[in-house]
Amino acid sequence: MKKPEQTKTGSPLPLGPTITHQGVNFAIFSRHASAVTLVAAPRSRPNEWVEFPFDPRVNKTGDIWHILLCDAPLPLLYGYRIDGPSDQKSGHCFDAGRILLDPYAKELHPSAWGARRTYLGTSPCSLLDKRDYDWEGDRPLNIPLRDSIIYELHVRGFTRHSSSGVDHPGTFRGITEKIPYLEKLGITAVELMPVTEFNENESIFTNSLTGERLKNFWGYSPLSFFAPKSSYSNDPQSPLTEFRDMVKALHRAGIEVILDIVYNHTSEGGADGPTTSFRGIDNTIYYLLDPWTRAYLNFSGCGNTCNCNHPIVRSLIMDALRWWVIDMHVDGFRFDLAAILGRDSNGQVLSNPPAVERIAEDPILAHTKIIAEAWDAAGLYQVGHFSRHHRWAEWNGRFRDDVRAFMCGHAGMVPALATRIAGSSDLYQHSNRRPCNSINFITSHDGFTLADLVSYNEKHNLMNGENNRDGDNNNISWNSGAEGATADKGILALRSRRIRTMATILLLSQGVPMLVAGDEFGRSQQGNNNAWCQDNAVSWIDWNLERNNKLLLRFFRKLIRLRKAHPVFRREDFFLHDPQGRKPDGPPFEILWQGLRPGEQDWSWDCRTLAFLLIGANLQPPDADFFVMLNGSPTQTALFTVPPASKGRIWARIIDTGRCPPQDFVDPEHGDTVKCSHTLAVPNMGCIVLQSRPTR
């Protein structure tokens, strides 16, 4: 590449590369650098780069270094050499021998999945191209959070398996091809595990059974906060276009896109990790360092922790979020290890973190869904009090744990289960939040699948190469009588019943349900509860299960349809808590709890049964009533007495997980009529749901 005939001073804002009528403006922050050099090359000739040293007297405003390249050839690869001090005492790690990624780059040098990125740090890898995109009038769907049903999936794993039947497996386009399936399932949003660039080859572990080098399959190790992963694109040269095509197609199908984003750490790891960007730009600004030793503070469990509440880092995060919303039409974000967003520069927990408040109050993000994973790897657990701001929803780990414990037959779980079903008012009502602030889930990418939750007592992670030390030991699971695969019909029937009962609890509870892809047709990871490194059939969705377990899939589809049809499951506010059913001169009670008999509640330690009556007739407009009976006993059948339905209505049995499919879920007009005061037998680990219908 020849040097442009002319370079100009350039502008300090905006940060990153900007195409102007005069050329390309480059701007990068570095407070402690002594020298900055832009390295640029045509995309077609990446090894023919030219270096443009910045004159600090001309090309620097405050802490921003900037330059304008006239006649720069596009598309263009670029990067930065940054010089300055490098010593343990200061915490600085400048190295002018490295060519660094621009934190504001919207694309990186494309790479096929699994290809070694030997050029990282040794050649310019940030990519600038000028592409227009026709959104064809696409606008945000703005589905109310309380009406949402979230479906967590991995872009590659969703369609990589040979059974997926798509033409472009493992890509954004592969998801687009599966839209008819998603529509029929009925979910309202896909939550995509990390889609920004990461190095899948960074894993140092090998499969202890096969000797194969493992990969970072999940991608919770960002090289960039912006650039979509090129290997998730059918054409690695156009990840921006293919991502946008996917979003546009999902929106046309009425499905929102939520991104699982990682701002708590980066792929640079600890002191022995690679220097690709932030560390070489200004280490003491971007990362949390021990004030005495200057070692990395590691609240992420991944070697480093981003200094999220520093104004520079906070602005980077906000700029990235806005770009995903404005330029990529994303509908929401799930913040990985979001408790780190609440730590100050010394790692202490702030009472009102600026980063958390700024995200909630940003006007561009005003209608964007924001969901916190309200804990970190250092033990900070903030579920229920991550933020008092009404916009922040949270992954409700308490819901997961309490439902699992009840469905393992643990004692003392009935009061907790009732609280979770009712929307977790103990966690959210005190801060004037609502049931929809609770993202309810029983399984996620992290941990057992739903099928494994009822099939394994212990994790089986030997394939991960860490001698089974990795992964959570507290699974709150029960194998139903045999560890792993079995041919025992009784155990298989119990497992099926437990899966369907837990699905019923999830979909009929107040709050926002989230399920993980494949649970709806019984996907297993063979007991691996930490499949972050398994780029193989352990993690890939086996679409043969869609056919083989079609009756379980039918059950999930009907559950989702039931939830969407009845606002009684999607309340805006918490229930009134009056044991008499009515407040003086107030509205009528909308939920009644009972033990085995109407009017009798049993919150005792030894109780393992719970029933509740949802009175939809009091809503405006009126809805059906529902009576739900749950039996968490591992061995005993429970006999429940049915309460009266609302005036002019009778009960129909619509769900009975003790029955064999497809009789386990029928429409009200085909359901057995159940009279008031009739006794119903709910099998161990089973549930029965009655729906009221008008008398004929």
Side-chain angles (χ1 to χ4, degrees):
M1 171 179 169
K2 295 181 179 180
K3 283 196 174 185
E5 295 180 4
Q6 186 180 17
T7 62
K8 295 185 178 181
T9 300
S11 171
L13 291 176
L15 292 173
T18 305
I19 299 172
T20 73
H21 67 279
Q22 293 181 302
V24 181
N25 188 81
F26 294 88
I28 187 169
F29 162 86
S30 184
R31 177 168 299 163
H32 298 103
S34 59
V36 174
T37 299
L38 175 69
V39 184
R43 180 176 181 173
S44 59
R45 302 187 302 279
N47 295 324
E48 299 180 14
W49 68 69
V50 176
E51 301 193 4
F52 301 89
F54 289 60
D55 184 342
R57 298 167 301 176
V58 176
N59 302 111
K60 187 181 181 190
T61 302
D63 294 331
I64 308 296
W65 303 72
H66 47 83
I67 195 170
L68 178 74
L69 298 191
C70 304
D71 303 320
L74 295 178
L76 184 74
L77 288 168
Y78 72 99
Y80 294 96
R81 297 190 190 274
I82 302 182
D83 203 359
S86 180
D87 60 89
Q88 180 70 26
K89 183 177 180 180
S90 70
H92 298 310
C93 298
F94 293 104
D95 180 357
R98 306 288 293 176
I99 301 178
L100 303 173
L101 299 172
D102 180 2
Y104 279 82
K106 308 307 186 294
E107 288 186 82
L108 300 188
H109 192 293
S111 175
W113 178 267
R116 296 285 169 181
R117 284 181 156 174
T118 56
Y119 46 80
L120 278 174
T122 62
S123 62
C125 296
S126 299
L127 177 62
L128 176 65
D129 197 359
K130 184 178 182 180
R131 289 196 190 100
D132 295 323
Y133 186 79
D134 184 2
W135 279 103
E136 301 179 278
D138 178 75
R139 298 294 300 162
L141 298 179
N142 291 329
I143 297 171
L145 187 56
R146 70 176 182 275
D147 295 334
S148 297
I149 300 170
I150 300 172
Y151 187 73
E152 187 195 39
L153 64 86
H154 186 283
V155 173
R156 179 171 169 84
F158 192 56
T159 60
R160 182 63 185 83
H161 197 278
S162 59
S163 63
S164 68
V166 302
D167 294 328
H168 306 94
T171 65
F172 299 127
R173 193 171 292 180
I175 292 176
T176 302
E177 292 181 71
K178 282 294 185 184
I179 286 177
Y181 172 83
L182 297 174
E183 287 183 292
K184 192 171 181 180
L185 182 59
I187 52 94
T188 69
V190 291
E191 181 174 301
L192 306 182
M193 291 171 65
V195 300
T196 63
E197 287 282 8
F198 61 91
N199 179 12
E200 63 271 21
N201 296 311
E202 68 181 10
S203 172
I204 62 173
F205 301 105
T206 57
N207 187 323
S208 60
L209 303 181
T210 67
E212 179 187 5
R213 180 75 175 266
L214 296 169
K215 290 183 172 61
N216 181 349
F217 177 70
W218 284 354
Y220 289 93
S221 188
L223 283 164
S224 170
F225 291 170
F226 290 85
K229 188 158 182 59
S230 57
S231 63
Y232 285 174
S233 172
N234 181 62
D235 177 3
Q237 305 294 328
S238 58
L240 292 176
T241 296
E242 288 199 22
F243 183 91
R244 288 165 169 155
D245 287 346
M246 175 194 68
V247 172
K248 185 165 62 177
L250 285 164
H251 283 178
R252 285 172 174 167
I255 299 171
E256 294 185 318
V257 178
I258 298 171
L259 297 188
D260 190 341
I261 49 174
V262 184
Y263 295 149
N264 59 81
H265 75 283
T266 76
S267 61
E268 292 185 304
D272 58 348
T275 297
T276 57
S277 184
F278 301 103
R279 174 182 288 139
I281 294 172
D282 216 324
N283 190 56
T284 64
I285 298 293
Y286 284 105
Y287 295 117
L288 299 185
L289 305 179
D290 184 279
W292 304 105
T293 67
R294 310 306 281 165
Y296 290 102
L297 298 178
N298 186 13
F299 298 109
S300 68
C302 298
N304 65 55
T305 307
C306 291
N307 190 7
C308 298
N309 281 295
H310 188 287
I312 296 299
V313 184
R314 198 164 67 231
S315 292
L316 171 64
I317 291 172
M318 294 309 306
D319 290 342
L321 293 173
R322 291 170 184 148
W323 179 78
W324 281 109
V325 169
I326 296 171
D327 287 66
M328 306 299 276
H329 286 208
V330 161
D331 303 281
F333 303 97
R334 178 263 188 187
F335 294 79
D336 180 64
L337 298 183
I340 286 172
L341 294 173
R343 292 185 182 272
D344 67 14
S345 59
N346 293 317
Q348 300 301 309
V349 181
L350 295 163
S351 59
N352 188 30
V356 173
E357 182 180 36
R358 189 171 178 184
I359 291 168
E361 288 290 344
D362 187 79
I364 297 296
L365 308 180
H367 301 293
T368 302
K369 294 173 174 64
I370 52 175
I371 302 168
E373 182 185 38
W375 53 83
D376 66 20
L380 179 59
Y381 192 79
Q382 295 183 308
V383 171
H385 54 91
F386 171 76
S387 171
R388 296 184 66 86
H389 201 288
H390 69 277
R391 291 204 53 226
W392 275 104
E394 299 173 9
W395 268 25
N396 190 344
R398 294 278 298 277
F399 183 97
R400 172 198 61 202
D401 295 347
D402 291 342
V403 173
R404 287 187 179 194
F406 177 81
M407 289 303 299
C408 284
H410 292 188
M413 295 310 304
V414 170
L417 178 66
T419 303
R420 302 298 150 240
I421 289 171
S424 295
S425 60
D426 61 327
L427 301 177
Y428 302 110
Q429 193 169 26
H430 65 90
S431 55
N432 296 316
R433 291 191 282 171
R434 296 183 175 184
C436 65
N437 290 104
S438 173
I439 306 299
N440 298 334
F441 68 106
I442 300 173
T443 58
S444 67
H445 69 273
D446 191 3
F448 282 148
T449 66
L450 193 57
D452 287 354
L453 195 64
V454 301
S455 303
Y456 294 91
N457 286 345
E458 308 293 339
K459 64 186 183 184
H460 294 262
N461 295 356
L462 283 175
M463 291 178 65
N464 295 354
E466 297 185 64
N467 200 28
N468 213 41
R469 292 188 301 270
D470 66 301
D472 198 346
N473 293 317
N474 183 32
N475 294 293
I476 319 179
S477 64
W478 175 42
N479 65 19
S480 308
E483 190 74 358
T486 181
D488 188 299
K489 293 183 179 180
I491 291 175
L492 293 174
L494 177 58
R495 288 177 178 177
S496 172
R497 186 157 66 246
R498 292 177 65 206
I499 287 173
R500 287 174 288 143
T501 298
M502 283 191 278
T504 302
I505 295 172
L506 176 65
L507 270 300
L508 301 191
S509 291
Q510 304 300 321
V512 179
M514 184 193 81
L515 58 150
V516 64
D519 271 357
E520 70 272 22
F521 44 59
R523 185 179 79 89
S524 171
Q525 294 181 167
Q526 290 80 56
N528 192 321
N529 76 346
N530 188 33
W532 70 277
C533 54
Q534 298 296 331
D535 178 32
N536 49 49
V538 171
S539 296
W540 301 343
I541 302 291
D542 182 353
W543 288 92
N544 292 310
L545 297 172
E546 179 188 5
R547 177 184 66 256
N548 296 341
N549 294 337
K550 63 182 179 180
L551 292 177
L552 177 60
L553 175 58
R554 170 188 178 272
F555 189 88
F556 270 85
R557 285 172 173 164
K558 290 184 72 67
L559 263 179
I560 291 171
R561 194 177 307 134
L562 181 70
R563 179 181 180 85
K564 293 170 76 172
H566 294 282
V568 73
F569 301 120
R570 299 176 280 110
R571 293 175 52 88
E572 287 193 43
D573 299 307
F574 290 102
F575 293 107
L576 299 174
H577 292 280
D578 177 6
Q580 301 304 317
R582 180 185 294 271
K583 285 190 174 183
D585 302 320
F589 204 49
E590 294 165 328
I591 188 170
L592 291 172
W593 302 99
Q594 77 167 60
L596 297 177
R597 288 172 291 278
E600 298 180 11
Q601 299 175 356
D602 188 350
W603 310 110
S604 66
W605 179 261
D606 293 329
C607 181
R608 288 174 172 79
T609 56
L610 177 67
F612 59 97
L613 172 62
L614 282 173
I615 306 173
N618 297 327
L619 299 180
Q620 293 300 325
D623 196 3
D625 300 335
F626 290 87
F627 184 58
V628 181
M629 294 155 274
L630 301 167
N631 181 8
S633 170
T635 58
Q636 301 297 316
T637 297
L639 299 177
F640 288 86
T641 302
V642 177
S646 295
K647 185 177 180 180
R649 303 182 73 85
I650 57 173
W651 290 119
R653 182 185 342 214
I654 60 168
I655 297 175
D656 187 340
T657 61
R659 291 181 169 179
C660 293
Q663 297 306 312
D664 56 349
F665 201 137
V666 298
D667 295 330
E669 59 270 22
H670 300 127
D672 300 336
T673 299
V674 181
K675 296 181 179 179
C676 169
S677 301
H678 188 76
T679 299
L680 292 179
V682 180
N684 55 314
M685 294 289 162
C687 76
I688 293 178
V689 179
L690 308 182
Q691 179 179 340
S692 69
R693 67 185 184 200
T695 56
R696 296 192 177 107

